[in-house]
């Protein structure tokens, strides 16, 4: 796909992301991301994993960030996309 403009141009904020297995998101990782998000005003975090198809997994993840003061509006969770083109466009 063609190169898209950076998300900060479109959204007006810095976006961080991880397209990884949700099993790798442990308390230490959440604490680090929470510190990063609190250090970068108006930033957001995009997480993408097959596991986010399950509402309880999403709720657990949001809860972990909320306990550290990160508003749920700053965390976006997506499921893995079937088409490679759609997946690459997420970058």
């Amino acid at each position: 796909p063609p190169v898209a403009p950076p998300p900060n141009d479109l959204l007006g904020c810095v976006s961080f992301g991880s397209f990884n297995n949700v099993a790798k998101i442990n308390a230490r990782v959440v604490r680090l991301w929470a510190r990063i998000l609190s250090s970068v005003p108006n930033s957001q975090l995009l997480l993408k994993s097959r596991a986010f198809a399950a509402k309880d997994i999403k709720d657990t993840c949001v809860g972990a960030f909320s306990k550290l003061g990160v508003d749920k509006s700053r965390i976006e969770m997506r499921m893995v996309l079937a088409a490679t083109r759609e997946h690459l466009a997420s970058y």
Side-chain angles (χ1 to χ4, degrees), residues 49-69:
S49 175
R50 281 184 175 82
F52 291 135
K55 185 181 180 323
D56 61 323
I57 300 287
K58 281 181 154 180
D59 291 345
T60 298
C61 191
V62 167
F65 281 99
S66 293
K67 287 178 185 175
L68 296 171

Side-chain angles (χ1 to χ4, degrees), residues 60-91:
T60 298
C61 191
V62 167
F65 281 99
S66 293
K67 287 178 185 175
L68 296 171
V70 177
D71 189 89
K72 66 180 180 180
S73 66
R74 296 179 71 190
I75 310 295
E76 181 180 352
M77 290 169 275
R78 295 183 190 169
M79 293 178 11
V80 172
L81 301 168
T84 301
R85 179 177 286 270
E86 291 173 330
H87 175 73
L88 293 175
S90 297
Y91 284 92

Side-chain angles (χ1 to χ4, degrees), residues 22-35:
V22 76
K24 295 180 180 182
I25 302 175
N26 58 43
R28 184 176 177 196
V29 170
V30 172
R31 282 193 308 271
L32 178 59
W33 279 335
R35 282 183 42 210

